Amino acid sequence: MVVTVLAAWLIGSLKPGRRTVGFWCFLLSNLLWVIWGWHAQAWALITLQVCLALMNIRGVKKNDHPAEAEASA
């Protein structure tokens, strides 16, 4: 949970580099939650984390190329 909170804090930064680190922290957080969910047999949690990971991957791409993201929005 600490990784998730750290990621949320970094995502709020105005610096693209920090936001990128935040998205990668979120992806690490998703993986950690999936591992815990597998151990606890919490299949809905795993499904949620996969969906959130896909959104975080989208965020990484948009953060890396902000001009392209604005043009396609």
Side-chain angles (χ1 to χ4, degrees), residues 25-37 49 53:
C25 284
F26 265 132
L27 288 169
L28 173 61
S29 169
N30 296 136
L31 176 63
L32 293 171
W33 280 109
V34 166
I35 291 169
W36 182 82
Q49 293 305 315

Side-chain angles (χ1 to χ4, degrees), residues 8-26:
W9 183 76
L10 290 169
I11 290 293
S13 176
L14 296 176
K15 297 180 181 180
R18 284 189 183 168
R19 285 195 309 266
T20 298
V21 171
F23 282 118
W24 284 104
C25 284
F26 265 132

Side-chain angles (χ1 to χ4, degrees), residues 33-50:
W33 280 109
V34 166
I35 291 169
W36 182 82
W38 189 272
H39 174 72
Q41 297 182 348
W43 311 121
L45 175 66
I46 293 171
T47 302
L48 172 65
Q49 293 305 315
V50 168

